[in-house]
Amino acid sequence: NIVVNLAAVHRDDIKDKNEYYRTNVVGAINVIKSCEKKKIYRIVFVSSVAVYGFAKPNADENTTPNPFNEYGKTKLEAEKNIIRANQEFHKVIEIRKKNAEERIRQLKNQAEKDIKNASVKIAIESVEKLFKNIKHIIRMFINVVFSIFIFYN
């Protein structure tokens, strides 16, 4: 089982600034706790490039976060909770939206590779079974031919 957490309050026109914290941080913590109760140990958490603040255009996941608004600050705090959960018991994939497309492509490629490897393994097993069946049929045929030969001689 896996849970994908896409929830967020991100709009700039939010009047109650605590809504960012309640949704982005407490919401992430609640997802973690719910997953723990349900014994779901894989979480995909989608964060945001807002954690970088006014970063250079080539910012990536190795760039030091420096959020300037409540949205970025609360997404960064949520990330910290997700990372902590990962260290404790979960297998977490944390994605910032800018990097999401690349990470999703990587996950898709890995899944396709896994499927291909599984398909090749299944195909090999099928061929091996087929050859065993063919060997069995050939043995039976030889026994029948041998029996017929013995019967007529």
Side-chain angles (χ1 to χ4, degrees):
N1 293 338
I2 189 165
V3 169
V4 179
N5 182 358
L6 300 166
V9 168
H10 60 86
R11 295 172 41 149
D12 291 326
D13 62 349
I14 302 297
K15 291 185 171 116
D16 180 5
K17 300 299 181 194
N18 289 324
E19 186 60 30
Y20 288 108
Y21 184 82
R22 284 191 300 268
T23 302
N24 300 340
V25 178
V26 176
I29 292 169
N30 289 338
V31 167
I32 293 166
K33 288 179 180 178
S34 295
C35 288
E36 187 174 355
K37 284 181 188 175
K38 299 285 185 181
K39 299 193 184 319
I40 299 170
Y41 300 112
R42 291 179 287 181
I43 301 172
V44 174
F45 175 76
V46 178
S47 187
S48 170
V49 295
V51 300
Y52 302 123
F54 295 110
K56 295 178 181 174
N58 60 351
D60 63 15
E61 289 181 345
N62 296 315
T63 301
T64 303
N66 187 23
F68 67 90
N69 62 11
E70 289 304 307
Y71 173 60
K73 290 174 185 176
T74 57
K75 289 303 276 189
L76 183 58
E77 190 170 340
E79 283 185 18
K80 290 175 183 176
N81 284 292
I82 290 290
I83 291 167
R84 193 172 312 116
N86 186 42
Q87 293 167 343
E88 292 173 11
F89 66 96
H90 290 284
K91 179 176 182 180
V92 177
I93 299 172
E94 180 263 329
I95 301 173
R96 293 183 181 144
K97 286 181 184 172
K98 181 177 181 181
N99 309 97
E101 190 174 296
E102 174 62 21
R103 185 66 177 131
I104 289 169
R105 187 185 61 73
Q106 290 171 351
L107 292 170
K108 179 180 174 243
N109 288 344
Q110 183 62 48
E112 287 173 350
K113 189 186 294 183
D114 292 346
I115 289 168
K116 182 179 178 184
N117 289 341
S119 297
V120 167
K121 183 178 178 185
I122 290 168
I124 289 170
E125 289 171 357
S126 296
V127 168
E128 287 173 347
K129 286 179 184 176
L130 178 64
F131 280 129
K132 284 180 184 176
N133 289 336
I134 290 171
K135 283 169 86 176
H136 181 71
I137 291 169
I138 291 171
R139 280 191 197 123
M140 287 176 47
F141 179 75
I142 290 171
N143 287 337
V144 168
V145 169
F146 186 71
S147 296
I148 293 171
F149 178 78
I150 290 177
F151 181 75
Y152 285 105
N153 284 328

